[in-house]
């Protein structure tokens, strides 16, 4: 078949595969969140539908599809309908760049890390549009808070990733994983890398609007924040996108700090297809960490959130970059 | 009851401010309370409560009902301290008639009253954490409250609106398991309050959200008629159990929890301290319940002699007052309930102005309002 | 201070010809009851709060009462320093347009309580910052806690 058609067919196939991963991962993560939350709260959580509740989210998704699509009378129809697609598209695009294993890597572009950071900024447009076009004061307050929060924490995410790029020397994700054959980057960079990891986890949680930074949705304060007026499938989009974003942040951390699809000490190096397993294992440990945060800490007030970023995280981050640069220049990294 | 929100020429409506309605259905207002907020960005300029969504004209009904029936009505006012409300009305009637209830009755009333206070504070703690975003506290608080509810169910027959008191004593004697279960609960709960502290009180995020927020000075607390933990956190010593003791409270020793900060954190700490003190009171009484009757008989139709009677009790929210004007008939001529929530609510506008919406939620969580108490 | 001491102290504030307008009684109640005329209400209340001997700075109960003929308000006052309690009563015979002075400027708690009394009894208070109905809807007709209030639909009389 001619070049062009084959190329397009390949792209469509990859897109369908990733859509599949997106939905399955989303459904699975929602269930994991509910079981983990129940465990912390001395309850059991959903365990009836399917084996240990596996089919629970499917049942919820079917229910959501059958709901009436409401909307306010004076909402801006076009923007209101457009908003959820922004968040979905940005999540999908970010997922396509993640290295699940050496071969299972859809787009191995040479600006991998930069691309990821740029894409995550597009998601916030969806939130702002959703809040604004709902024509609802609570939604508007939620959307404005979210805009402010995301713009501030993008800086910290970017800078902490930049710290690790100093060791790897390349923005390309597969190259970053290759460098870690000499030891995970968090070990290679020792102190500055640990600090960068902590800052990345904090800012990543803030980027995805999860507790303790969920002032955007603050259920106890504003009803439901920017997605107050959404119901049915459109609400499901926002909801799923939040979980996928959490997965993406954890995946980036697993790739950049903990070796991606490499096995610890190279124990299964001869079986490269096991890389997917290691990658998912590391990602899920970090996802569990983010869920742990959510169900333990109270939430920060919006001005405290911004103070944390601008007065504490940013200066620490800048000093950290300089420290890391010194360590790399003086060859003080730990190599195996 | 509903008010128009359109700004009129007499309102000080500046171009940056806008109105937001918090409630009556809202996760953080703990009941049907509607707050009209005037906000400028995130800063609150004015808070105006709109009451009456659960007004059931209890005071008018009291002018028609007999005293035994009135005890039933008080359950539903501050339903988290329902036993103490019942006790208040029974005490008014007993003092007016000059009835001397047996020691056993007094001790049991105090034990159940203090357990009610602990149950109310458990719920308060759980909901406070939930309002601030730490959802797990809700389940931990309810887990302990369930133990108390089970004790009540076995002895009094109901979990929330106990209605165990009658003028002259108690409806039935306590269940044989009562003493053991209460002792087990006390031992269990002593290990739990440190758990609460570990989870929330020392957490830096919690401290930053409550320290210095919503400061109420001592003079303002007195002028606004605040009582209970709200006033004690501002340094005004007003525990009715100390100054006007009733039932068996003059036989126990306990310290009044006082703090001087007047901010949200101080109110929080006062309530945690109160839980310890209530546990200590229960411990002092539970082993020595005197033998005797559980009830002194009264006439079937109780008529108070003509005159005015006032009884104060300390509920979990503050000072509840029952003011009866009797003209010698079977129903009171006028019965007024001085509810603690009503006066505590009036401080809200004073302390919330100038703070942010997030602070308003924290302030309301610590003022601990139960709306049926305010609306009666 | 005991009830007798209070009575002497308060009596001493007013010159001879007006002293007769105050009535003191202790019968039918455990506290000292002071009945005052509407015209002197605000002045008496101000004195009760500011005088250091009495220092009644805590108004803990404000009730409206329909005395079957007269409408009145009963104030329960307590002192946070001396811990004594006194009761002040004021009545007005005018049922069409009852008016009394507000004590909001003396105790801030009176603001809500007086709105409640206005809502249920119809007594208007002078100098109240925000006198409108509190519990009932704005368009409610009548004052429910009065003894002559009739409501076929909502009231069940046995």
């Amino acid at each position: 078949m001619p070049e062009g058609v084959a190329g397009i067919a390949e792209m469509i196939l990859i897109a369908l595969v990733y859509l599949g991963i997106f939905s399955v991962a989303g459904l699975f993560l929602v269930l994991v969140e509910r079981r983990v939350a129940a465990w912390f709260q001395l309850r059991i959580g959903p365990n009836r539908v399917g084996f240990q509740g596996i089919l629970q989210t499917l049942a919820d998704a079917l229910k959501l599809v059958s709901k009436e699509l409401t909307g306010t009378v004076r909402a801006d129809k076009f923007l209101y309908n457009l908003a959820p697609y922004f968040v979905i598209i940005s999540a999908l695009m970010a997922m396509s760049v993640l290295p699940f294993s050496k071969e299972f890597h859809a787009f191995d572009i040479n600006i991998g890390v930069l691309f990821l950071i740029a894409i995550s900024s597009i998601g916030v447009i969806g939130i702002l549009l959703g809040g604004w076009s709902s024509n609802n004061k609570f939604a508007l307050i939620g959307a404005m808070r979210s805009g402010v929060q995301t713009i501030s924490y993008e800086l910290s995410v970017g800078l902490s990733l930049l710290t690790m790029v100093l060791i790897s020397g390349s923005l390309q994700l597969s190259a970053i994983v290759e460098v870690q054959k000499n030891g995970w980057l968090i070990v290679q960079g020792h102190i500055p890398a640990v600090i960068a990891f902590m800052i990345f986890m904090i800012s990543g949680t803030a980027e995805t609007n999860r507790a303790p930074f969920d002032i955007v949705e603050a259920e106890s304060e504003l009803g439901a924040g920017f997605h107050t007026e959404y119901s049915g499938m459109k609400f499901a989009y926002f909801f799923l996108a939040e979980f996928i974003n959490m997965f993406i942040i954890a995946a980036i951390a697993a790739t950049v700090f903990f070796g991606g699809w490499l096995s610890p000490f190279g124990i299964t190096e001869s079986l490269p297809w096991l890389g997917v397993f290691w990658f998912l294992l590391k990602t899920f440990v970090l996802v569990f960490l983010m869920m742990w945060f959510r169900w333990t800490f109270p939430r920060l007030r919006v001005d405290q959130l911004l103070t944390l970023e601008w007065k504490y995280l940013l200066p620490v981050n800048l000093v950290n970059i300089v420290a890391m640069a010194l360590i790399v220049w003086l060859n003080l990294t730990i190599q195996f | 009851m509903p008010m128009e929100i359109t700004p009129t020429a007499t309102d000080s409506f500046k171009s940056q401010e806008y109105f937001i309605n918090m409630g009556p259905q809202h996760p953080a207002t703990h009941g049907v309370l509607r707050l009209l907020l005037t906000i400028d960005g995130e800063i609150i300029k004015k808070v105006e409560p709109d009451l009456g969504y659960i007004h059931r004209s209890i005071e008018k009904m009291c002018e028609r009902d007999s005293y035994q029936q009135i005890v039933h009505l008080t359950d539903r006012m501050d339903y988290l301290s329902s036993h103490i409300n019942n006790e208040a009305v029974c005490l008014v009637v007993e003092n007016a008639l000059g009835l001397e209830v047996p020691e056993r009755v007094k001790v049991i009333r105090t034990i159940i009253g203090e357990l009610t206070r602990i149950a109310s504070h458990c719920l308060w703690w759980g909901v406070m954490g939930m309002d601030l975003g730490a959802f797990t506290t809700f389940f931990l608080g309810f887990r302990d409250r369930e133990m108390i509810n089970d004790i009540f169910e076995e002895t009094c027959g109901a979990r929330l609106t106990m209605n165990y008191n009658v003028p002259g004593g108690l409806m039935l004697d306590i269940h044989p398991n009562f003493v053991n279960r209460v002792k087990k609960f006390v031992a269990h709960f002593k290990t739990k309050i440190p758990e609460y502290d570990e989870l929330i009180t020392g957490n830096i995020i919690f401290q930053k959200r409550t320290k210095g927020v919503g400061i109420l000075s001592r003079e303002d607390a007195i002028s606004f008629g605040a009582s209970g933990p709200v006033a004690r956190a501002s340094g005004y010593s007003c525990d009715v159990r100390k100054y006007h003791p009733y039932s068996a409270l003059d036989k126990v020793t306990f310290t009044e929890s006082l703090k001087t900060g007047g901010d949200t954190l101080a109110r929080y700490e006062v309530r945690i301290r109160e839980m310890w003190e209530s546990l200590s009171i229960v411990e002092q009484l539970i082993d020595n319940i005197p033998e005797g009757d559980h009830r002194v008989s009264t006439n079937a139709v109780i008529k108070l002699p003509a005159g005015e009677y006032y009884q104060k009790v300390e509920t979990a929210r503050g000072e509840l007052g029952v003011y009866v004007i009797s003209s010698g008939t079977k129903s009171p001529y006028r019965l007024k309930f001085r509810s603690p929530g009503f006066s505590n609510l009036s401080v809200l506008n004073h302390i919330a102005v100038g703070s942010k919406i997030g602070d308003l939620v924290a302030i309301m969580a610590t003022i601990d309002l139960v709306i049926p108490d305010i609306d009666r | 201070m005991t009830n007798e001491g209070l009575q002497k102290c308060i009596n001493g504030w007013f010159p001879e010809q007006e002293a007769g307008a105050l009535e003191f009684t202790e019968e039918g109640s455990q506290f000292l009851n002071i009945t005052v005329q509407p015209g002197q209400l605000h002045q008496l209340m101000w004195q009760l709060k500011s005088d250091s001997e009495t220092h009644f700075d805590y108004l803990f109960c404000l009730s409206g009462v329909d005395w079957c003929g007269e409408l009145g308000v009963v104030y329960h006052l307590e002192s946070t320093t001396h811990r004594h309690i006194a009761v002040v009563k004021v009545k007005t015979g005018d049922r069409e347009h009852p008016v009394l002075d507000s004590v909001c400027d003396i105790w801030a708690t009176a603001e809500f309580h007086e709105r409640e009394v206005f809502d249920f009894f119809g007594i208007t208070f002078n100098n109240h910052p925000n006198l409108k109905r509190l519990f009932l809807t704005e368009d409610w007709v009548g004052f429910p806690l009065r003894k002559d209030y009739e409501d076929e639909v909502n009231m069940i009389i046995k």
Side-chain angles (χ1 to χ4, degrees), chain A residues 40-43 137-138 141 145 211-212 214-215 219-223 294-304 312, chain B residues 18-21 26-28 42 130-136 139-140 143 203 205-206 208-209 213 356-359 361:
Chain A
F40 286 135
Q41 292 165 358
L42 314 170
R43 324 176 264 125
K137 279 178 196 155
F138 289 128
I141 295 184
R145 281 174 172 178
D214 64 348
I215 198 80
E219 281 140 20
S220 328
E221 291 175 35
L222 298 177
R294 177 176 185 185
W295 297 107
T296 313
F297 295 130
R299 72 172 67 92
L300 264 67
R301 210 176 56 207
V302 72
D303 63 317
Q304 291 166 344
Y312 297 101
Chain B
Y18 61 96
F19 287 98
I20 271 215
N21 221 358
H26 193 282
E42 277 271 336
M130 191 174 76
D131 279 346
L132 290 182
F135 303 98
T136 315
F139 294 93
L140 301 185
R143 168 197 61 184
N203 184 309
I205 301 179
F206 181 78
K208 283 195 101 73
R209 280 205 70 181
V213 165
K356 305 188 179 54
I357 303 181
D359 291 334
V361 173

Side-chain angles (χ1 to χ4, degrees), chain B residues 33 35 47-51 216 220-227 230 338-353 363-364 367-369 371 374, chain C residues 58-60 104 107-115 128 134:
Chain B
L33 172 67
L35 293 176
V47 178
E48 200 178 328
D50 184 11
L51 305 173
L216 180 69
D220 282 335
I222 296 174
S223 179
F224 278 100
S227 57
V230 174
R338 187 265 183 208
S339 77
F342 194 64
S343 308
N344 286 350
L345 177 64
S346 51
V347 308
L348 191 63
N349 185 42
H350 184 74
I351 60 179
V353 167
I363 293 172
M364 285 197 50
I367 296 189
D368 197 11
L369 301 168
I371 314 300
I374 300 177
Chain C
Y58 193 57
L59 169 65
F60 63 88
C104 283
W107 297 283
T109 181
E111 191 183 332
F112 269 36
H113 283 97
E114 285 174 355
R115 275 181 73 182
H128 190 284
L134 186 63

Side-chain angles (χ1 to χ4, degrees), chain A residues 44-57:
Chain A
I44 303 181
N47 66 345
R48 303 273 174 179
V49 187
F51 175 70
Q52 290 295 327
I54 290 250
L55 297 177
Q56 174 73 44
T57 329

Side-chain angles (χ1 to χ4, degrees), chain A residues 283-324:
Chain A
T283 309
F284 278 116
V285 169
L286 291 172
V287 165
F288 177 77
L289 186 68
M290 290 173 79
M291 289 180 182
W292 198 353
F293 287 166
R294 177 176 185 185
W295 297 107
T296 313
F297 295 130
R299 72 172 67 92
L300 264 67
R301 210 176 56 207
V302 72
D303 63 317
Q304 291 166 344
L305 213 143
L306 296 175
T307 315
L308 177 67
E309 160 63 19
W310 293 102
K311 288 197 194 164
Y312 297 101
L313 288 185
L314 190 62
V316 169
N317 227 340
L318 292 171
V319 170
N320 202 32
I321 291 188
V322 173
M324 178 67 99

Side-chain angles (χ1 to χ4, degrees), chain B residues 1 64 308 312 333-334 338, chain C residues 28 60 64 66 89 137:
Chain B
M1 170 176 67
R64 161 203 79 183
E308 300 179 9
K312 295 192 195 204
Y333 181 79
R334 166 89 166 103
R338 187 265 183 208
Chain C
F60 63 88
D66 183 347
K89 292 188 185 159
T137 51

Side-chain angles (χ1 to χ4, degrees), chain C residues 87-106:
Chain C
V87 177
V88 176
K89 292 188 185 159
V90 65
K91 302 182 194 183
T92 166
D94 183 356
R95 284 183 84 96
E96 294 298 312
H97 301 286
V99 178
L100 288 172
D101 282 332
S102 164
V103 295
C104 283
D105 49 340
I106 309 177

Side-chain angles (χ1 to χ4, degrees), chain A residues 147-184:
Chain A
V148 135
Q149 179 180 329
T150 315
I151 292 175
S152 310
Y153 279 92
E154 266 166 20
L155 273 174
S156 284
V157 166
L159 284 176
S160 51
L161 286 179
L162 193 63
T163 318
M164 305 319 287
V165 166
L166 284 174
I167 302 186
S168 72
S170 159
L171 286 170
Q172 194 167 359
L173 282 169
S174 56
I176 292 181
V177 177
E178 286 298 319
V179 166
Q180 294 185 70
K181 286 210 165 109
N182 301 331
W184 290 351

